């Protein structure tokens, strides 16, 4: 495959089988985007694909909270993580909710006029640095918003690491009319009420559920993604895993400088370097970084798992800060 995929040759929807084909079918029905590259890029690892899809579906798409409000959170996280592909995608999806003015306000990096949306956008941006606290929503809806924020802290890092920045061919999404028309094409799907939990049967790697989720489907999905993504740590030595975890904690959510000793060299520790970049600055991954680590022994499956390990390390660090003072839901 060519186009948006930087380093992998994922399974195209027409060639998919098994659980991968099931995920693609749910994507087409529930997300409205049959060939969503955000998920197709994870297809070399079905457990990562199912976990990421389940978390997005059960937090952002299903549930009782406003889809518009959750899209604001997804956009805010993507802005904080400097993921232009994802910011464009959420601008389109905000258009799909029917709030066209809000979509363009968020796209321009401005503060929404509605106090509730403004508070959610600020909260979402603050999740990267651990300063967010409780989401400004009713307690019953908090798991959906926390799950949405964590979903996109993970997905942003996958996208920035493994896809180009162009959401549409020729970067067409930079035009407001294109964003609006793309959103309108998805409006019927976005406004549907989905049955919670329908993706959970696809999960291949269940794990202990987080206390913040209160038994919600979003918590089950997050547990599945976390278990699948942690498997990538097996591609690193114990020393390198500790290095990545410590460096992520030390970064504190800041976007690191181009210079400094925070990043190990390509020759000495190529795997640790790649995982750490995926965690804190995935938009800085270069062809040279990937080539330094990837040899004949490392397949697409290995690469997406190493990137996912960096992404989940950062996401778990954010989760810990976000829920440090929270009572179980």
């Amino acid at each position: 495959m060519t186009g948006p995929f930087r380093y992998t040759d994922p399974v195209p929807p027409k060639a998919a089988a098994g659980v991968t084909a099931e995920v693609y079918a749910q994507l087409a029905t529930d997300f409205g985007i049959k060939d969503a590259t955000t998920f197709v890029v994870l297809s070399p690892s079905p457990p990562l694909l199912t976990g990421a899809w389940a978390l997005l579906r059960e937090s952002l798409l299903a549930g009782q909270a406003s889809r518009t409000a959750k899209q604001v959170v997804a956009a805010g996280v993507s802005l904080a993580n400097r993921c232009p592909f994802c910011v464009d995608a959420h601008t389109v999806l905000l258009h799909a909710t029917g709030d066209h003015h809000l979509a363009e306000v968020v796209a321009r990096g401005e503060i929404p006029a509605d106090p509730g949306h403004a508070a959610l956008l600020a909260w979402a941006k603050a999740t990267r640095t651990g300063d967010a606290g409780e989401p400004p929503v009713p307690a019953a809806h908090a798991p959906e918003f926390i799950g949405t924020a964590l979903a996109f802290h993970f997905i942003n890092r996958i996208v920035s690491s493994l896809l180009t920045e162009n959401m549409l061919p020729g970067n067409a999404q930079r035009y407001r009319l294109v964003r609006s028309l793309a959103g309108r094409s998805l409006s019927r799907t976005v406004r549907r009420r989905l049955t919670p939990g329908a993706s959970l049967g696809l999960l291949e790697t269940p794990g202990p559920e987080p206390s913040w989720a209160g038994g919600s489907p979003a918590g089950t999905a997050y547990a599945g993604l976390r278990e699948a993504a942690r498997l990538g740590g097996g591609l690193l030595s114990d020393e390198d895993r500790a290095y990545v975890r410590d460096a992520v904690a030390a970064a504190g959510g800041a976007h690191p400088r181009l210079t400094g000793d925070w990043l190990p060299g390509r020759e000495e520790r190529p795997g640790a370097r790649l995982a750490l970049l995926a965690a804190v600055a995935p938009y800085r991954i270069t062809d040279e970084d990937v080539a330094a680590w990837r040899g004949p022994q490392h397949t697409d499956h290995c690469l997406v798992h190493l990137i996912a390990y960096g992404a989940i390390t950062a996401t778990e660090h954010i989760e810990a800060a976000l829920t440090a003072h929270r009572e179980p839901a």
Side-chain angles (χ1 to χ4, degrees):
M1 296 180 72
T2 57
F5 304 105
R6 295 176 68 192
Y7 304 117
T8 62
D9 186 23
V11 180
K14 289 182 180 179
V19 71
T20 300
E22 293 182 65
V23 171
Y24 286 169
Q26 275 199 358
L27 272 167
T29 302
D30 293 351
F31 198 35
I33 305 174
K34 181 177 62 174
D35 301 341
T37 54
T38 303
F39 297 98
V40 173
V41 75
L42 290 172
S43 62
S45 170
L48 285 175
L49 172 64
T50 58
W53 162 243
L55 181 56
L56 179 137
R57 185 194 186 281
E58 303 307 334
S59 58
L60 176 67
L61 307 187
Q64 298 301 312
S66 160
R67 174 70 182 268
T68 300
K70 290 187 286 188
Q71 286 293 167
V72 168
V73 166
V77 169
S78 300
L79 286 163
N81 288 329
R82 301 181 183 177
C83 182
F85 180 109
C86 294
V87 172
D88 289 339
H90 296 302
T91 300
V92 167
L93 289 166
L94 277 169
H95 275 291
T97 69
D99 202 327
H100 303 290
H101 178 71
L102 175 62
E104 293 304 311
V105 165
V106 171
R108 293 193 298 268
E110 298 172 2
I111 299 174
D114 179 86
H117 291 155
L120 280 169
L121 187 65
W123 176 81
K125 290 179 177 179
T127 58
R128 179 177 169 100
T129 56
D131 300 321
E134 288 290 309
V137 297
H141 292 167
E144 294 177 40
F145 285 89
I146 293 172
T148 295
L150 296 178
F152 287 98
H153 277 296
F154 181 83
I155 289 170
N156 289 168
R157 288 164 169 82
I158 297 297
V159 168
S160 292
S161 297
L162 298 174
L163 299 179
T164 67
E165 292 185 359
N166 295 344
M167 189 189 79
L168 296 175
N171 206 20
Q173 76 282 347
R174 67 185 183 275
Y175 299 110
R176 176 173 179 163
L177 178 60
V178 173
R179 294 193 295 267
S180 177
L181 290 174
R184 291 175 193 275
S185 72
L186 295 169
S187 61
R188 182 173 296 179
T189 302
V190 164
R191 294 171 186 176
R192 286 175 51 215
R193 283 285 183 181
L194 299 182
T195 302
S199 68
L200 301 185
L202 302 172
L203 293 173
E204 298 187 21
T205 51
E209 296 184 12
S211 61
W212 55 261
S216 69
T220 304
Y222 179 76
L225 174 61
R226 181 184 58 205
E227 292 302 303
R230 283 176 175 175
L231 294 174
L235 295 161
L236 300 174
S237 66
D238 291 345
E239 182 181 8
D240 278 353
R241 285 195 298 274
Y243 185 97
V244 172
R245 289 193 300 269
D246 291 346
V248 168
H255 290 276
R257 302 184 305 275
L258 285 171
T259 59
D261 59 0
W262 65 276
L263 190 61
R266 292 191 190 101
E267 298 302 321
E268 297 81 12
R269 307 174 86 169
R273 179 186 177 95
L274 196 52
L276 182 55
L277 280 169
V280 301
Y283 45 83
R284 290 186 181 159
I285 290 176
T286 66
D287 295 354
E288 292 77 13
D289 292 320
V290 175
W293 172 78
R294 188 171 187 177
Q297 75 277 24
H298 290 141
T299 63
D300 285 358
H301 178 272
C302 297
L303 179 60
V304 298
H305 265 284
L306 184 62
I307 296 297
Y309 176 73
I312 202 65
T313 300
T315 302
E316 287 192 89
H317 183 75
I318 290 163
E319 177 198 18
L322 188 58
T323 61
H325 306 294
R326 191 170 194 273
E327 294 297 326

